[in-house]
Every structure is written in C-alpha cells, then in structure tokens.
Amino acid sequence: MATRSSARPISPHLQIYKWGPHMLVSILHRATGVGMATVGATVLVWWLAAIAAGDAAYATFRHVFVDFAGGALGYVIGIGLTLTFFQHMASGIRHLVMDTGAGFELKRNKMAALATMFVSVALTALFWLYLGLK
Amino acid sequence: MGTGTSIGRVRGLGSAKEGAHHWLHHRMTAGSNFLLMGWFMISIARLPAYDYATVRYWLSSGWVAVPMVLLILSVFSHFRMGLQTVIEDYQHDESRIVMLVLRNAWTYGLGAIAIFSILKVAFTGAAA
C-alpha cells in the first residue's frame, strides 16, 4: 500500500458518486459499530464493575448518569446508545440479507437502507416510551 | 511477477488461503448478538427499578449471569473483528500494528473486567 507510486491511476472514490441512503447507512454501520465498541463497552463495563464493587461505586455511576445536570448525560448517552444499537442491528440484518445475494436491485436496496433508519428511530422511541410510561 | 505495482506483486500467488473464518465468525456472532442483546434490552426495560439492591439481585441470578457472560463473549469477539476491519481499512504500516495491539488490549482488558464483575456478583449473591 505505502509503496504505491502516486503517479499511477486509482479507481474513483467517494467524491465521484452521487450521495444516497445506502452510502449513509453503510458508513453509519461503521460509525455505530465503533461507537458501541468504545463508548458503549465503557458504559456497560463501568455499570457491571460498579454493581460488583458495591453500593458506593454504584452510587457514583448513578450520580454521573441520573443525578448530574438533571440526568442530561444519562439521556444523551442512553438515547444515543440505544439509537446506535438499533441502527447497527437493523443495518446488520440488512447485511445478512445482502450476504445471500438478495436485495441489490437499485430501488429495493434504497428502500431497505431507508427502512433501517426508520426501524432504528421507531425502536428507540418505543424503548424510551416504555421506560417513561413504566 | 509484475512491474512493482501492488497488484503485480501478488499476481499468481492465488488466494490468501485465510479470511473466510473471520467473515463467517463475524456473521455467527452477529446472530448470537441479536439474540443476547434482544434478551438484554428487554430485561433492562422490564426491571422494576434501577437502584443498587434491585440491579444486584437481578445480576446475581444464574439465569442472568450466564447469558450476561455469553453476551460479553459474543459482543466483544464481534466488535474485536469489526475494529480489525476498520483499522485495516484506514491504517497502514506501523500504525496498523500499533492499533491492532491496542484493540486487543482494549477488548481483552474490558472483557476480563466485565466477566470478573458478573461472576463476582453471581458467586457472592444479592446481599453485599
């Protein structure tokens, strides 16, 4: 890779193509995956370790995500992570379908890409509505 | 062998002879992640409260601790492979090796803390 001559032609990249939902969902799949592997894993492991460490450690966790600034951090990270999870899940299911060779027709591919975003927003709204109405 | 271009250097060598396992394992863990995370999200949503006693009582049950350990194994091995794909796409030369090693330290370090925490709660029980 590094030894490639800069004089040689390369294939067209992102700037050549018209932006579409399939491209957005593709990069969102990466971004959401990396987000969960970093921020999501940190919050989950902090939560588990706090439960294991005892009452005081759990109180610190609760303070940061529930009490601090009216729970603003908890809502931003909580809603952010659930939306991130559902987007990655819906997009992942689309990937499994496309792995079978199905769904590459232009119109169907675009519809499925849009559907992953509708599904992730809807499931996130349902999840937090359920929590709120409990 | 060719003219020194990247394609020229590998022409005639055949396939990499590996990689299918990574691809397949990524799909397999995607499936187990779907089931385990589905269980986790529903369990979290259905908890009666989120205070220390309730959450600790919940996690101390074997019916929660065992799937929780499975979830950590499945999710962490999935995101370890995902991070590898992303790193290999954007990082080359030395920085690729450094990032891949950091990714291992991150995944195995956090994973060990997570599994230790779950087992500690499961083995010491609700009251602590």
Side-chain angles (χ1 to χ4, degrees):
Chain A
M1 291 277 187
T3 54
R4 189 186 63 216
S5 162
S6 58
R8 295 195 59 85
I10 55 172
S11 44
H13 201 42
L14 287 176
Q15 68 275 14
I16 294 294
Y17 300 105
K18 182 167 170 263
W19 197 252
H22 51 297
M23 295 162 83
L24 176 63
V25 165
S26 173
I27 196 63
L28 269 179
H29 196 71
R30 288 210 153 181
T32 51
V34 172
M36 284 189 290
T38 53
V39 179
T42 304
V43 175
L44 175 65
V45 174
W46 183 4
W47 183 66
L48 290 171
I51 299 171
D55 214 348
Y58 194 76
T60 307
F61 180 88
R62 270 188 71 95
H63 175 76
V64 170
F65 291 107
V66 181
D67 306 325
F68 178 70
L73 200 58
Y75 279 115
V76 169
I77 292 197
I79 294 173
L81 279 178
T82 38
L83 182 60
T84 296
F85 165 68
F86 286 127
Q87 176 60 38
H88 197 82
M89 186 188 85
S91 175
I93 291 168
R94 173 169 174 264
H95 271 285
L96 292 177
V97 173
M98 287 167 67
D99 283 342
T100 70
F104 281 90
E105 302 83 353
L106 288 181
K107 193 166 182 186
R108 183 177 292 183
N109 193 277
K110 184 180 175 181
M111 293 305 289
L114 287 169
T116 65
M117 290 186 276
F118 285 118
V119 165
S120 65
V121 172
L123 286 177
T124 305
L126 270 176
F127 185 84
W128 286 89
L129 211 62
Y130 182 84
L131 288 187
L133 293 177
K134 239 185 0 173
Chain B
M1 297 300 256
T3 57
T5 60
S6 48
I7 184 77
R9 283 198 305 280
V10 297
R11 220 166 236 156
L13 296 177
S15 77
K17 314 281 192 303
E18 61 177 51
H21 176 259
H22 177 113
W23 187 91
L24 191 61
H25 193 54
H26 216 163
R27 268 72 192 166
M28 303 275 266
T29 52
S32 49
N33 282 356
F34 178 76
L35 296 175
L36 290 162
M37 283 301 292
W39 161 79
F40 179 71
M41 297 296 276
I42 292 170
S43 294
I44 291 294
R46 290 185 59 84
L47 275 177
Y50 300 96
D51 60 288
Y52 181 67
T54 309
V55 169
R56 188 172 172 110
Y57 176 74
W58 173 75
L59 189 59
S60 67
S61 159
W63 294 101
V64 173
V66 171
M68 203 62 200
V69 169
L70 290 176
L71 182 146
I72 296 293
L73 292 174
S74 174
V75 167
F76 277 48
S77 72
H78 183 84
F79 85 54
R80 183 175 166 272
M81 285 184 288
L83 288 177
Q84 179 183 349
T85 305
V86 174
I87 291 167
E88 287 175 345
D89 275 357
Y90 303 126
Q91 300 290 323
H92 309 296
D93 307 315
E94 293 86 355
S95 65
R96 172 186 288 192
I97 308 296
V98 172
M99 294 292 280
L100 287 175
V101 172
L102 284 177
R103 164 211 63 148
N104 275 339
W106 174 257
T107 310
Y108 294 131
L110 274 190
I113 297 170
I115 290 172
F116 173 82
S117 301
I118 298 162
L119 294 181
K120 188 185 172 199
V121 172
F123 292 151
T124 55

